[in-house]
Amino acid sequence: QLGFAFTMAPWRGLVVVAASLQAALSSASTCEVDVAARKDCGFVGIDQSSCEAQGCCWSEHADDDSGTVPWCFYASTTGGSTYSLSDYTLDDAGLRGTLVLDSASGATGLGALSLEVTFSSADHARVRITDASAERWEIPESIVPATVSPFARRASSQAYALNFTESPFTFTLYRVADGEVLFQSAENLVFQDQYIELTTSLDPTAGL
């Protein structure tokens, strides 16, 4: 199962306080990414060997007088495994629904997943994705207590907001005060019996 939580730290923004996921480039990944869609995967001064060693793509771009086009960037995962959101409910407590695998694309994985996005407090959200057809062991809260207790959110005081698309399913958490993206999932989601892959990217200028 996949679970992670987000907390808005008062001095900077978002902190991922708990996570259990494996991130890797899928076999469907490609470095053929439009210049305008490149997401920076490196750091100032990174070279090609260091970039590729951390699983990123490298392609120099000469026509870039402003220096804003990253040469080291994330691969595209277009054509990978995708899910669609169905039978969902969105209310003051969060988002709940079922993710259904797009088997027509030839993707493999669990056919149905349970999705829970819980608005735990004014500055804390929890995302939980599990197998919809079978129970799986997870660490009991008696061992690792929840950091906050769930509550019915008050929209006027919540520091973050949620956007999502139904097909293919993606979601974005952003800060209400300035609209800055805190977490954004990509279309590609691999959820197999012993392998999970969730793809995301982070703006290099983000204050996280």
Side-chain angles (χ1 to χ4, degrees):
Q1 65 182 16
L2 172 64
F4 45 96
F6 305 95
T7 295
M8 296 279 293
W11 64 96
R12 299 194 70 180
L14 180 78
V15 177
V16 179
V17 296
S20 57
L21 61 97
Q22 179 176 357
L25 293 177
S26 70
S27 58
S29 297
T30 173
C31 288
E32 296 298 323
V33 180
D34 185 84
V35 170
R38 289 185 184 180
K39 301 294 185 181
D40 199 346
C41 187
F43 51 85
V44 176
I46 193 172
D47 57 23
Q48 182 172 356
S49 60
S50 299
C51 173
E52 293 176 343
Q54 62 185 27
C56 301
C57 298
W58 177 274
S59 179
E60 298 183 11
H61 185 67
D63 301 326
D64 181 27
D65 295 335
S66 61
T68 58
V69 177
W71 292 8
C72 182
F73 53 93
Y74 289 98
S76 167
T77 54
T78 301
S81 173
T82 61
Y83 284 80
S84 297
L85 178 64
S86 66
D87 300 326
Y88 69 87
T89 300
L90 176 64
D91 54 29
D92 286 348
L95 173 67
R96 298 167 300 284
T98 301
L99 299 178
V100 180
L101 178 67
D102 179 14
S103 57
S105 65
T108 59
L110 300 184
L113 306 173
S114 293
L115 168 72
E116 296 178 7
V117 181
T118 304
F119 303 142
S120 302
S121 73
D123 55 10
H124 185 283
R126 183 189 184 196
V127 179
R128 185 170 179 264
I129 302 175
T130 59
D131 185 348
S133 60
E135 290 188 8
R136 307 238 174 172
W137 184 88
E138 58 183 296
I139 300 174
E141 287 195 4
S142 60
I143 298 176
V144 182
T147 54
V148 293
S149 299
F151 85 128
R153 73 181 176 102
R154 296 185 300 274
S156 60
S157 63
Q158 190 164 298
Y160 60 87
L162 171 72
N163 280 339
F164 63 93
T165 60
E166 296 179 36
S167 182
F169 174 70
T170 64
F171 72 93
T172 301
L173 287 167
Y174 65 92
R175 186 185 297 118
V176 173
D178 56 11
E180 183 172 357
V181 173
L182 304 172
F183 185 90
Q184 183 173 16
S185 71
E187 295 179 0
N188 190 59
L189 171 61
V190 180
F191 205 113
Q192 299 176 351
D193 189 43
Q194 297 186 29
Y195 179 80
I196 296 173
E197 178 185 333
L198 176 70
T199 305
T200 186
S201 61
L202 182 65
D203 188 325
T205 64
L208 304 179

